[in-house]
Amino acid sequence: MPEAFSRQGLSAGEAARRLADQGPNLLPGSEPKSTAAIVREVVTEPMFLMLLAAGGIYLALGDRGEALFLLSFVFVVIGITLVQERKTQRALESLRDLSAPRALVIRDGQEQRIAGREVVLGDLLVLHEGDRIAADALLVDGQLEVDESLLTGEAAPVTKLPALGAGDATAPAPGGDGTPGLFASTVVTRGVGLAEVCATAAHTAVGRIGTDLAATTEPPSALQQRSRKLVRQLGVAALLLASAQVLLGWWWNDRPLLESLLSGIALAMAILPEEIPVILTVFLALGAWRISRHKVLTRRVTAVEALGAITVLAVDKTGTLTVNRMAVAELATADANFRPEDADSLVEEFHPLVEFAMLATPGDPFDPMEKAIQHFGHHWLAGTEHVHHGRQPEFEYALSGEILAMTRVFASADPSQHLLATKGAPEAVADLCHLDAAQRDAIGRQVEIMAERGLRVLGVARGRWSGQATAPDAAPPWPQSQHDFDFEFLGLVALADPPRAEVPAALAECRQAGVRVIMMTGDHPATALAIARQVGLSERPDLMTGAEIEALDDAALRQRLRHVDLCARLKPQHKLRLVQMLRTDGEVVAMTGDGVNDAPALKAADVGIAMGERGTDVAREAAALVLLDDSFARIVAAIRQGRRIDDNIRKATRFVFAVHVPIIALALVPTLLQWPALLLPVHIVLLQLLIDPTCAVVLEAEPEAPGLMERPPRPASDSPFAPAALAYAVLQGVGIAVVLLLCTAWLSAHGGSAAQIRTVVFGTLVLNVLLLILANRNPARPAFLSAMAPTTWLWRIASAMVTLLVAVLGLPWLRGLMGLALPGARELALAAVLVALCLVWLELVRMLGQRLGRARRGN
């Protein structure tokens, strides 16, 4: 082992110095997007290219003022895009920092959990089953099995043994069985160990492979894919309609070709909803950041959109519904019971039971129940010969799906005799002891009584085995199965894990929100029922076990699962099958888990949720969300936030389509009716400066709607881009477009000039942007009532709109540049009437939408 090895580990000061010298323990990966890259993306977007084309045409026409004014917006657009990108990037970077791999290290003689990036050379890593190793290291104590398939391609785990003597700083090559070398990013599948870090960051084996391994690109979500498809379709439509507009203006209206090109560009700019990709990118990234403030880490941003549709929440009992602080609450033998709170000392009769429970448990356990057993034994057997400090087994039989018990084999004073210590599910241990039916029934009744009080019960047995090695210094030929031994049943150890205080209220909120909660636990059925009653999980007493699940085919299981909220004595494959059955039945499933074996079910769920405090790294990486404090209430908070984010995406989408419809109509109809152009590219660009921040800032920051958690989950197939959702927005916009076009016809008939008409139409359109914000904030309330509950950002955007109107109408050079006229009393009165008519129309659409919604719910 390394010469400098000390169980004290590094001091905090030395670790900080090494971190400053060596840099963070990060693999080569993708750097944040640079300013140049963002600018490059902006200048290749269709909207930006059309802006440049319009500016060039104005120059060709000799309108230098219009050209310079329009081209100046190039820098404004770049600035807005930079602000949005930086805001999104900061949110994602904060999430990446939280989701970085963790490491348990010893510093100043104390175990502490740190971010993997803070691991330095010489650190002592404490490794348990399920941990992803943070850096290359040498094992100095313990024994591990490690999955190194990431580096070697070999699926079978390899055994790691401590270094025997002083070694150099370079770890051996991956794949070595029986070597001390451990490698970053590989996974501990079994055992407990202590390892000294010998390489970090790019100097690790995985770091030397190259940057491609560390650089990961998150695939787009279903919502993002649908939006991109819609934007592409609208882009094609914009190109076709703009081309038709150019030809009509040039050929039918006898306009000069360059003027016709300007009107075509204006129409294309009006049709392209370039805000939609911005909405989804910003809303999902900032939504994940907001959720992280509730101590729920979003590892995959795409999970945010699924939160609002969750219909079933499948939860483990231990650590999710309970506090996960196990303590031995009762001991039982065939003749007596012992409760710690009723005694000052442990009577002799229970000494063997506690002694062999400790021997059957690792000395440095990771499991909370095993920790509780060791703590209990060291307290109640202190000073007796029944405590065996540092005694290591010669062989172990691990808990398996076939036998829910584990056996540790120890050497004894007689080389031909081995001592056996076993613990596990009471029925499994009783089976290993080959008890008769009467004895099994008696144990079963004891277990039932304890489990009804919410206790988790383990059986404990001891045995002796005679086995001789076939050669000197060789191990005996260990039997293939624990069934090949003879055991003596010693008794039962019952452990308590009380429910979390916040769980009953959180469960009630889930029920109110239409989210069904199903307990999926490996515990005894009676224990599961007792906890379910204590927290008010379900009013249905029916329960299903793993054995029953195995006996049912898929169709029968789906039918049975519709009426059962408690599933006990489950193995990992049962949980996976249940999740798959629920999803097949049309449910949107969130699943909690903490162990290596939970990873398949977490991946299979729509939203996998891992425990952050006690969960393994493998579970964390398989999950989409991580509870940083393991609190069940955090799940409910995440669902609430998911619904708010989904609502706000829908509000922003409705607003975008509603505001684009009158802009499209005002750009297209004048050409068809041979009117002067109402909207020029410069007008549309100014409107975009109002629309973009409205989407990305104002509506994203909208608070949750009243009754958010009192309505059922949205259907999984429901999309903001569904025809029904877009029809509502289009109907809002069509009414505004009709009002403005009728006003144009009336003013034309009464001698209004093109500048006067354009002034009334443009001014009213700007005010309608504010009306559409108010109308889409909360479709359950009239727009004027929404104005009475303003937010900070709503005030700012309203102020920006008023400032814009005052500037373009009050500054002569800007007014002339935009082809507007100073409004008189007639124009101001007409604009007020138009705004009132638009407000009435929006209220009619809202009432119609509510009536249709009630009719759909009634059916």
Side-chain angles (χ1 to χ4, degrees):
M1 99 183 32
E3 294 174 356
F5 166 62
S6 165
R7 286 189 179 274
Q8 291 296 306
L10 299 176
S11 66
E14 177 63 18
R17 187 189 67 76
R18 294 189 184 190
L19 182 63
D21 291 343
Q22 301 161 11
N25 177 38
L26 293 175
L27 294 176
S30 55
E31 293 295 323
K33 195 182 293 182
S34 66
T35 301
I38 295 173
V39 172
R40 187 166 58 250
E41 287 183 5
V42 172
V43 299
T44 55
E45 287 183 355
M47 182 65 70
F48 187 87
L49 295 175
M50 286 186 284
L51 199 60
L52 289 178
I57 291 171
Y58 273 121
L59 282 176
L61 290 171
D63 297 327
R64 292 184 180 179
E66 287 89 338
L68 292 175
F69 186 70
L70 201 60
L71 291 173
S72 68
F73 279 106
V74 167
F75 301 101
V76 177
V77 171
I78 291 174
I80 290 176
T81 305
L82 280 171
V83 169
Q84 289 173 343
E85 282 279 354
R86 290 293 180 226
K87 191 174 183 181
T88 303
Q89 196 163 287
R90 280 196 300 271
L92 291 174
E93 284 172 0
S94 68
L95 292 175
R96 277 196 292 270
D97 288 341
L98 282 172
S99 63
R102 307 168 305 158
L104 186 61
V105 299
I106 296 178
R107 288 184 180 170
D108 294 317
Q110 299 293 320
E111 289 187 9
Q112 54 182 281
R113 184 79 64 177
I114 64 172
R117 60 179 291 142
E118 297 174 9
V119 172
V120 297
L121 284 177
D123 256 329
L124 284 181
L125 301 177
V126 183
L127 300 171
H128 295 89
E129 176 183 329
D131 286 350
R132 187 170 291 278
I133 300 170
D136 284 7
L138 290 173
L139 187 65
V140 294
D141 195 12
Q143 182 174 336
L144 303 174
E145 287 186 5
V146 181
D147 178 2
E148 295 184 347
S149 57
L150 175 73
L151 297 169
T152 65
E154 296 293 333
V158 292
T159 301
K160 298 294 178 178
L161 300 175
L164 298 177
D168 58 27
T170 305
D177 219 350
T179 63
L182 303 173
F183 303 94
S185 298
T186 60
V187 178
V188 179
T189 60
R190 186 171 176 270
V192 177
L194 195 65
E196 184 173 1
V197 173
C198 60
T200 61
H203 301 291
T204 62
V206 70
R208 290 192 295 269
I209 291 175
T211 59
D212 290 342
L213 186 66
T216 56
T217 303
E218 187 171 341
S221 69
L223 199 58
Q224 290 169 325
Q225 289 173 340
R226 289 193 201 108
S227 71
R228 290 172 185 177
K229 181 180 178 181
L230 180 63
V231 170
R232 281 197 300 270
Q233 291 171 341
L234 290 173
V236 172
L239 182 62
L240 294 175
L241 286 174
S243 301
Q245 169 118 330
V246 171
L247 293 175
L248 281 174
W250 179 48
W251 173 67
W252 192 30
N253 293 346
D254 293 327
R255 288 181 186 170
L257 180 59
L258 290 178
E259 286 188 18
S260 298
L261 282 172
L262 274 178
S263 65
I265 289 172
L267 178 60
M269 293 171 74
I271 294 174
L272 273 178
E274 78 285 352
E275 303 90 352
I276 295 297
V278 173
I279 288 173
L280 296 181
T281 302
V282 172
F283 278 44
L284 292 179
L286 291 182
W289 173 76
R290 291 181 189 279
I291 290 173
S292 74
R293 297 168 71 184
H294 293 271
K295 295 192 175 181
V296 181
L297 167 65
T298 306
R299 295 197 71 257
R300 285 188 284 279
V301 174
T302 52
V304 174
E305 69 181 67
L307 282 171
I310 289 173
T311 59
V312 172
L313 181 55
V315 299
D316 189 16
K317 178 185 72 67
T318 306
T320 306
L321 301 179
T322 61
V323 296
N324 192 35
R325 285 196 297 271
M326 303 295 293
V328 175
E330 188 172 350
L331 303 175
T333 64
D335 305 313
N337 289 68
F338 172 83
R339 294 182 183 177
E341 66 271 18
D342 300 333
D344 296 325
S345 62
L346 186 66
V347 296
E348 185 70 30
E349 180 181 353
F350 294 99
H351 285 193
L353 172 58
V354 178
E355 176 186 5
F356 278 86
M358 293 176 69
L359 285 173
T361 301
D364 179 21
F366 179 63
D367 183 82
M369 288 198 305
E370 294 185 329
K371 284 184 176 181
I373 289 171
Q374 289 289 0
H375 178 77
F376 182 88
H378 281 92
H379 173 73
W380 290 95
L381 295 179
T384 72
E385 73 277 10
H386 299 290
V387 177
H388 307 278
H389 293 288
R391 189 169 182 180
Q392 294 297 318
E394 290 195 349
F395 193 74
E396 293 185 46
Y397 294 87
L399 190 78
S400 68
E402 291 72 33
I403 302 176
L404 295 175
M406 61 180 295
T407 297
R408 305 179 90 212
V409 184
F410 296 88
S412 68
D414 182 354
S416 65
Q417 289 287 317
H418 291 81
L419 196 64
L420 310 175
T422 295
K423 76 174 190 300
E427 60 268 31
V429 176
D431 184 50
L432 290 175
C433 293
H434 308 297
L435 301 180
D436 59 36
Q439 291 172 311
R440 290 190 188 196
D441 289 344
I443 292 170
R445 286 191 295 271
Q446 285 182 304
V447 171
E448 200 73 30
I449 292 169
M450 291 177 172
E452 284 174 358
R453 304 203 317 272
L455 302 180
R456 185 160 185 178
V457 187
L458 297 175
V460 178
R462 68 180 171 188
R464 288 190 176 274
W465 177 70
S466 299
Q468 290 282 357
T470 56
D473 299 325
W478 307 113
Q480 291 293 315
S481 170
Q482 298 173 71
H483 280 294
D484 296 328
F485 297 113
D486 288 322
F487 292 98
E488 174 194 353
F489 194 84
L490 293 176
L492 302 171
V493 177
L495 301 103
D497 182 15
R500 291 180 180 269
E502 74 276 9
V503 166
L507 285 172
E509 193 171 5
C510 280
R511 280 195 298 274
Q512 192 176 35
V515 178
R516 177 184 169 202
V517 182
I518 300 177
M519 181 193 292
M520 296 184 184
T521 179
D523 275 355
H524 191 279
T527 308
L529 274 170
I531 295 295
R533 291 193 194 102
Q534 291 177 47
V535 299
L537 184 139
S538 174
E539 296 177 357
R540 298 189 285 199
D542 205 1
L543 182 143
M544 185 164 50
T545 65
E548 292 177 60
I549 291 170
E550 290 179 354
L552 296 173
D553 61 23
D554 287 352
L557 180 58
R558 276 200 303 273
Q559 184 62 33
R560 180 100 167 88
L561 200 51
R562 292 170 188 166
H563 308 286
V564 173
D565 296 327
L566 299 178
C567 302
R569 274 291 183 253
L570 298 185
K571 299 174 184 176
Q573 61 267 31
H574 296 150
K575 292 184 180 182
L576 175 59
R577 188 180 175 205
L578 289 173
V579 168
Q580 291 170 335
M581 289 300 99
L582 286 166
R583 295 192 67 208
T584 303
D585 212 24
E587 305 285 1
V588 179
V589 183
M591 168 81 188
T592 69
D594 60 356
V596 177
N597 291 335
D598 289 328
L602 291 173
K603 272 194 170 182
D606 295 280
V607 181
I609 304 172
M611 303 297 108
E613 287 186 340
R614 66 187 175 90
T616 62
D617 287 344
V618 174
R620 284 164 54 94
E621 291 177 18
L625 302 179
V626 178
L627 304 184
L628 298 180
D629 64 357
D630 290 7
S631 171
F632 180 80
R634 304 298 182 189
I635 303 175
V636 182
I639 292 174
R640 177 187 289 274
Q641 283 295 314
R643 291 189 175 192
R644 186 194 70 82
I645 294 162
D646 182 72
D647 274 2
N648 289 349
I649 287 176
R650 291 167 189 273
K651 291 172 187 177
T653 303
R654 283 197 306 268
F655 167 78
V656 165
F657 280 89
V659 82
H660 271 267
V661 168
I663 296 174
I664 293 169
L666 294 172
L668 177 63
V669 172
T671 299
L672 299 177
L673 298 181
Q674 297 185 328
W675 290 349
L678 293 176
L679 290 183
L680 302 174
V682 67
H683 300 133
I684 294 175
V685 169
L686 281 173
L687 287 168
Q688 290 293 345
L689 295 183
L690 297 177
I691 295 170
D692 278 355
T694 297
C695 296
V697 178
V698 180
L699 293 176
E700 191 281 328
E702 274 292 296
E704 66 181 57
L708 180 74
M709 294 296 282
E710 296 172 10
R711 65 192 192 208
R714 65 168 173 84
S717 58
D718 189 16
S719 165
F721 311 113
L726 295 183
Y728 182 89
V730 170
L731 197 57
Q732 286 181 322
V734 164
I736 294 172
V738 169
V739 168
L740 294 178
L741 289 171
L742 288 175
C743 163
T744 301
W746 187 85
L747 280 174
S748 296
H750 289 79
S753 67
Q756 288 174 322
I757 295 172
R758 192 177 290 128
T759 299
V760 173
V761 168
F762 180 74
T764 306
L765 192 55
V766 169
L767 294 176
N768 268 288
V769 172
L770 181 59
L771 284 184
L772 285 170
I773 296 172
L774 297 174
N776 286 289
R777 285 184 71 198
N778 185 359
R781 302 177 65 190
F784 65 89
L785 287 180
S786 290
M788 296 179 184
T791 62
T792 303
W793 282 109
L794 184 60
W795 276 120
R796 291 173 181 174
I797 198 69
S799 301
M801 291 178 184
V802 172
T803 303
L804 175 68
L805 279 178
V806 170
V808 297
L809 297 177
L811 298 175
W813 67 271
L814 188 55
R815 187 171 64 240
L817 198 65
M818 298 188 66
L820 304 178
L822 189 66
R826 182 182 72 163
E827 285 77 25
L828 291 174
L830 185 57
V833 170
L834 293 176
V835 170
L837 288 174
C838 291
L839 187 60
V840 170
W841 171 254
L842 292 175
E843 178 60 16
L844 290 174
V845 172
R846 187 189 70 82
M847 293 169 63
L848 176 62
Q850 283 192 317
R851 182 172 298 179
L852 291 174
R854 283 195 295 269
R856 282 197 302 270
R857 288 192 294 272
N859 293 334

